[in-house]
């Protein structure tokens, strides 16, 4: 453990977060909303804190970062982002309660999208932009984290791509994380820009277009409207956002290969194929389930099903219909989507498609082994054998995910939440989705959750976002031994 | 696949089930209840069916049973037991509906204890005895299945004991299943007898003592009383049954070693230690949670907590208090117990302690590997290394268990059950417990479940009872290939 270097890196991160408060400050100043001073104060404090941490830690360039330092930097970085990101909410009086401000901020940076703000439309523009920006920055962080940093630390769904995809992206990236990061951020920026243009073309104003695009790419799901996308009631916006949510749920290295001219890459990639088939199947099931009594036109049923399934499975969390009025079957499909999540290497949360595929294949292998006890079998993905180490890591992740889910669920239920609110609030935060069912349902928010419960959910958001291992490894006694 | 031999074995099993109807028939005759004729008819049909199957299949003694035949015999055997066991209910008019009769019978033979009978006390004694006897026979079958047959087929929690316990029991047993079976059944009979004596000593009449003992040893949970053990409201009966439920939840080869003089075996065995610690911890948590408002005396709180935790975690399902009136926290502890189950090699269902231990250890190993990427580590149990094959089999089981749970839950909820009833009815049948929460709660039963739902739960009971693999392997295309 090298505390100096960990704090120094965290300082740099905090400083940049302070700098990132400039655009909301600018917007606030231009539009003369009443949060200019609060944003300036937040920015000053954040930048100063970052500089202080940087200045008062020694430069130890000669020392290499080891695994342990990496894990500590990532976890501490996200926690600190959650804290300094809360300052604008606190100072502007938007969320004067410390817990609420932290909840909104952590929900932002973890790209969850669970909110404690009841009247979103009454917020000053500067705050609204900061709220969306936390998600966009969180999403950027996640892309780099999940494709470049976590696999390097031996964590995360992308770990197996080390062996599996002999793509130029991964090859190039491994030795130079900074270069990878640049490529990925360009793609991220490009897709965001494209979405802004398409939303503008549909008649959404510039501010809302930017804010919604900022919350789509990171599969975040904060909206500038109280009723989320239902506010616009526009099939055009719904479908534009469906497409961009799905893009955001796809591994970003596939986007890179697509841009390099490999037009069939989405169909060729084993994980992507299964992900798109799952999305299609769930949309079909929900469409058929809600068509009839609720939506008399098949097109309307398809539209709302496609939006809500895409929104939940990519862990975005935008809402275009009050799905709590849907039949149980459809609600449970959405609950299952909360656990599944999108692809590894995307901005989405949850268990992720690649893990599901590996678990299904490995389980089937066990059945096969009973029939042919002496056959030698390996689990393959995209034609390549997957190592026992990767499989063990996937099972460990799944078990920890379910274990944390059960513990958090127990905690929430013992605070008096009804079962379905307790289940879905935990599933929707550990999976970084946002809205759940019951008191945290699509037309309600997380304000009613008791304070202790909000901190349980804060922990869930961080754990889920950082692929659990990154956080939990810090709790192992071995981590702290010399 | 060798259909002749499979049917022949099933025929033998059915014949013996017919013979097993003799005691209820005798009781019915002596007590002159009104089901003598129905029992006689059931017995005649069952025995005839068994004889027919035996006579019309060729004797192929020279052929060895292979893995596939073993799996088919076990699954078909339990299904046929469920069918012929339903005859007494049908013919006596107790449960004139085919689905209900099958449900009660399958619930019996799988030692689940979920009932569709509302007024149990109005049933004729012959039927009550048959109902209890199905559980006792099912429990006998399970002991032999889980200790002698499934590990031989490469299935089940006991699989790892092949390598792990160098005990005389396992050594002796492997080559001669019949001899093992005799030893285990003697233990089973002995403990049952002891329980009957202790219940008699407390003032329970002979008939009820026998019936309750018949349903304790197999962790079944059918009672002859409408309100289960709450009927007696006796601390003595409660504690006697707690002790025998826990004994039934412990691996039967440990009982053998205990009887051979190894008095510290429960503490020495790694799985047993964890099982007893879990039971103790859950009892403590529930006692503290229900003490106060609900039970003003600490002793009463302890008594009801001990009974209900033991009943659910051993997957017995007796009820001594309406735990639906308990706080959420305690209810959820019970729900967790439904999934955990007791020890491998016992009559209990659920995921089982040994699998939990291995999953926790293997997951922790993954965390350790992040900290020390180059360390070579193995998962150990009781000082012995556990092979990758066993770990894979455990993960496969867990995934299939959870997968089936989700699918069945989806099916039940889409039939209109509220979420908590849907969750707990599936958890309580796949884990072979019996009572759940909501409409299948402790003071209600499974009668209200729609017919299709009853068949879903029938499948859950069978799948859970036969360690999932045994049934699901029959659905694999490879199974049917030459």
């Amino acid at each position: 453990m090298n505390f100096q270097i960990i704090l120094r890196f965290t300082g740099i991160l905090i400083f940049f977060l302070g700098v990132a408060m400039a655009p909301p400050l600018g917007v606030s100043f231009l539009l003369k909303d009443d949060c200019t001073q609060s944003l300036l104060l937040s920015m000053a404090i954040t930048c100063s804190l970052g500089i202080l941490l940087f200045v008062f830690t020694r430069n130890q360039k000669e020392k290499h970062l080891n695994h342990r330092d990496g894990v500590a930097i990532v976890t501490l970085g996200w926690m600190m982002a959650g804290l300094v990101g809360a300052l604008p909410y606190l100072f502007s009086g938007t969320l004067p309660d410390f817990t609420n401000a932290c909840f909104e901020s952590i929900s932002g940076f973890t790209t969850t999208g669970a909110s404690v703000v009841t009247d979103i439309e009454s917020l000053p523009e500067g705050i609204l932009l900061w709220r969306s920006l936390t998600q966009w920055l969180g999403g950027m962080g996640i892309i780099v984290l999940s494709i470049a940093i976590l696999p390097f630390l031996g964590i995360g769904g992308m770990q197996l791509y080390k062996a599996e995809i002999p793509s130029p992206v991964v090859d190039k990236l491994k030795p130079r994380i900074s270069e990878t990061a640049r490529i990925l951020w360009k793609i991220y920026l490009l897709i965001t820009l494209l979405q802004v243009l398409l939303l503008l073309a549909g008649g959404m104003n510039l501010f809302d277009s930017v804010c919604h695009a900022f919350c789509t790419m990171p599969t975040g799901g904060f909206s500038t409207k109280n009723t989320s996308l239902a506010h616009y009631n526009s099939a055009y916006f719904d479908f534009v956002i469906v497409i961009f949510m799905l893009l955001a749920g796809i591994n970003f290295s596939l986007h890179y290969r697509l841009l390099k001219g490999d037009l069939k890459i989405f169909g060729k990639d084993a994980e992507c194929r299964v992900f798109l088939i799952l999305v299609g199947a769930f949309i079909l099931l929900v469409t058929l389930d809600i068509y009839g009594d609720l939506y008399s036109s098949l097109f309307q049923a398809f539209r709302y099903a496609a939006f809500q399934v895409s929104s939940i499975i990519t862990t975005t969390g935008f809402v275009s219909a009050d799905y709590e009025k849907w039949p149980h079957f459809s609600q449970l499909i959405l609950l299952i989507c909360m656990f599944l999540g999108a692809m590894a290497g995307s901005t989405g949360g949850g268990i992720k498609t690649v893990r599901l595929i590996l678990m299904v294949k490995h389980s089937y292998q066990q059945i096969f082994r009973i029939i042919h006890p002496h056959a030698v079998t390996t689990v393959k993905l995209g034609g390549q054998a997957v190592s026992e180490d990767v499989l063990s890591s996937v099972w460990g992740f799944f078990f920890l995910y379910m274990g944390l889910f059960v513990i958090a669920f127990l905690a929430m239920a013992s605070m008096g939440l009804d079962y379905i609110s307790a289940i879905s609030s935990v599933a929707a935060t550990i999976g970084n989705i946002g809205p759940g069912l019951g008191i945290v349902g699509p037309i309600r928010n997380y304000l009613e959750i008791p304070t202790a419960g909000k901190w349980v959910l804060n922990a869930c958001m961080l754990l889920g976002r950082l692929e659990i291992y990154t956080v939990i490894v810090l709790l192992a006694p071995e981590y702290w031994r010399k």
Side-chain angles (χ1 to χ4, degrees), chain A:
Chain A
M1 288 290 295
N2 192 332
F3 289 104
Q4 298 272 346
I5 224 168
I6 292 168
L7 290 177
R8 199 174 175 85
F9 266 89
T10 313
I12 297 171
L13 176 79
I14 292 174
F15 177 77
F16 279 111
L17 287 176
V19 173
M21 289 177 187
L25 180 65
V27 166
S28 172
F29 182 76
L30 284 174
L31 298 179
K32 300 198 192 346
D33 66 11
D34 55 359
C35 69
T36 316
Q37 279 185 315
S38 334
L39 280 168
L40 194 60
L41 183 60
S42 307
M43 188 170 165
I45 291 177
T46 307
C47 287
S48 311
L49 181 65
I51 292 168
L52 278 176
L53 276 175
F54 188 78
V55 169
F56 283 95
T57 49
R58 269 178 298 128
N59 192 357
Q60 299 180 302
K61 263 198 177 159
E62 71 286 0
K63 285 212 179 177
H64 272 294
L65 279 176
N66 64 23
H67 272 60
R68 299 186 191 197
D69 302 331
V71 165
I73 289 171
V74 169
T75 306
L76 190 64
W78 243 273
M79 286 166 99
M80 290 306 297
L83 285 178
V84 300
L87 296 179
Y89 303 122
L90 277 173
F91 294 153
S92 66
T94 311
L95 293 167
D97 176 69
F98 178 71
T99 300
N100 284 340
C102 286
F103 187 90
E104 197 80 6
S105 172
I106 292 172
S107 170
F109 281 112
T110 57
T111 80
T112 305
S115 185
V116 288
V117 180
T118 306
D119 187 5
I120 298 165
E121 289 162 36
S122 73
L123 299 189
E125 281 82 357
I127 294 293
L128 280 177
L129 184 60
W130 173 242
R131 192 165 164 269
S132 304
L133 197 57
T134 55
Q135 297 216 315
W136 199 67
L137 295 171
M140 265 197 174
I142 281 305
I143 287 295
V144 175
L145 190 71
S146 69
I147 300 195
I149 300 176
L150 287 187
F152 177 74
L153 298 177
I155 302 170
M158 289 298 289
Q159 192 184 349
L160 64 138
Y161 285 97
K162 272 196 269 184
E164 200 230 340
I165 299 188
S167 83
V169 191
V170 179
D171 287 4
K172 260 191 217 152
L173 289 184
K174 285 286 151 266
R176 308 266 331 239
I177 289 180
S178 58
E179 198 188 328
T180 319
R182 254 197 301 279
I183 295 170
L184 295 172
W185 285 343
K186 272 187 199 159
I187 297 171
Y188 192 75
L189 203 65
L190 188 78
I191 307 182
T192 307
L193 201 68
L194 197 62
Q195 192 187 350
V196 172
L197 291 175
L198 283 169
L199 291 178
L200 281 173
M204 199 184 279
N205 70 44
L206 179 64
F207 183 79
D208 289 332
S209 298
V210 169
C211 284
H212 280 107
F214 272 5
C215 298
T216 310
M217 282 324 293
T219 65
F222 276 154
S223 171
T224 48
K225 302 298 174 190
N226 289 336
T227 53
S228 191
L229 263 291
H231 174 90
Y232 297 98
N233 192 15
S234 145
Y236 173 79
F237 288 149
D238 280 6
F239 282 113
V240 165
I241 287 185
V242 162
I243 289 162
F244 282 89
M245 289 192 295
L246 291 177
L247 286 177
I250 287 172
N251 186 338
F252 270 63
S253 51
L254 298 188
H255 291 316
Y256 176 78
R257 295 175 73 179
L258 185 75
L259 292 173
K260 285 277 169 195
D262 190 351
L263 298 178
K264 291 180 180 167
I265 184 64
F266 289 170
K268 269 196 280 183
D269 183 78
E271 186 188 8
C272 193
R273 215 161 45 219
V274 174
F275 171 64
L276 294 176
I277 290 170
L278 280 178
V279 171
F282 288 140
I283 292 177
L284 183 70
L285 287 173
V286 173
T287 303
L288 296 177
D289 193 38
I290 61 175
Y291 171 56
D293 286 349
L294 280 160
Y295 303 98
S296 52
S297 121
L298 194 60
F299 173 76
Q300 291 296 329
F302 170 72
R303 170 186 154 194
Y304 289 112
F307 189 93
Q308 220 51 62
V309 167
S310 305
S311 172
I312 302 285
I313 201 168
T314 61
T315 74
T316 308
F318 281 135
V319 174
S320 74
D322 181 5
Y323 54 78
E324 283 227 299
K325 297 205 180 104
W326 293 2
H328 274 182
F329 180 78
S330 291
Q331 289 189 33
L332 287 177
I333 292 279
L334 294 180
L335 192 62
I336 291 169
C337 287
M338 288 190 189
F339 283 92
L340 291 184
M343 283 176 69
S346 75
T347 54
I351 288 167
K352 300 200 174 74
T353 314
V354 67
R355 290 202 184 87
L356 178 73
I357 298 171
L358 291 180
M359 290 191 292
V360 168
K361 286 194 173 189
H362 201 197
S363 299
Y364 191 78
Q365 195 196 29
Q366 305 316 310
I367 296 170
F368 186 84
R369 270 221 326 240
I370 292 170
I371 303 166
H372 300 291
H374 304 298
V376 176
T377 54
T378 48
V379 172
K380 287 184 179 181
L381 184 67
Q384 300 253 343
V386 177
S387 75
E388 286 286 339
D389 279 2
V390 169
L391 291 173
S392 297
S393 160
V394 167
W395 286 120
F397 178 87
F398 180 61
F399 187 71
L400 291 173
Y401 198 94
M402 297 311 291
L404 284 169
F405 168 75
V406 168
I407 292 167
F409 168 44
L410 201 57
M412 297 308 289
S414 62
M415 288 174 203
L417 264 74
D418 66 287
Y419 290 124
I420 197 70
S421 301
I423 287 178
S424 69
S425 66
V426 173
T429 48
I430 203 170
N432 300 120
I433 293 109
L437 297 161
I439 69 161
V440 298
I443 55 162
R444 302 171 79 172
N445 63 36
Y446 284 72
L447 189 62
E448 288 176 50
I449 302 274
T451 300
K454 279 178 188 144
W455 285 103
V456 170
L457 298 181
N458 279 342
C460 286
M461 291 194 268
L462 270 173
L463 281 158
R465 185 66 284 183
L466 301 180
E467 302 261 300
I468 296 176
Y469 283 130
T470 323
V471 181
I472 233 165
V473 85
L474 297 174
L475 305 177
E478 278 86 1
Y479 181 85
W480 299 98
R481 255 175 230 147
K482 289 268 172 192

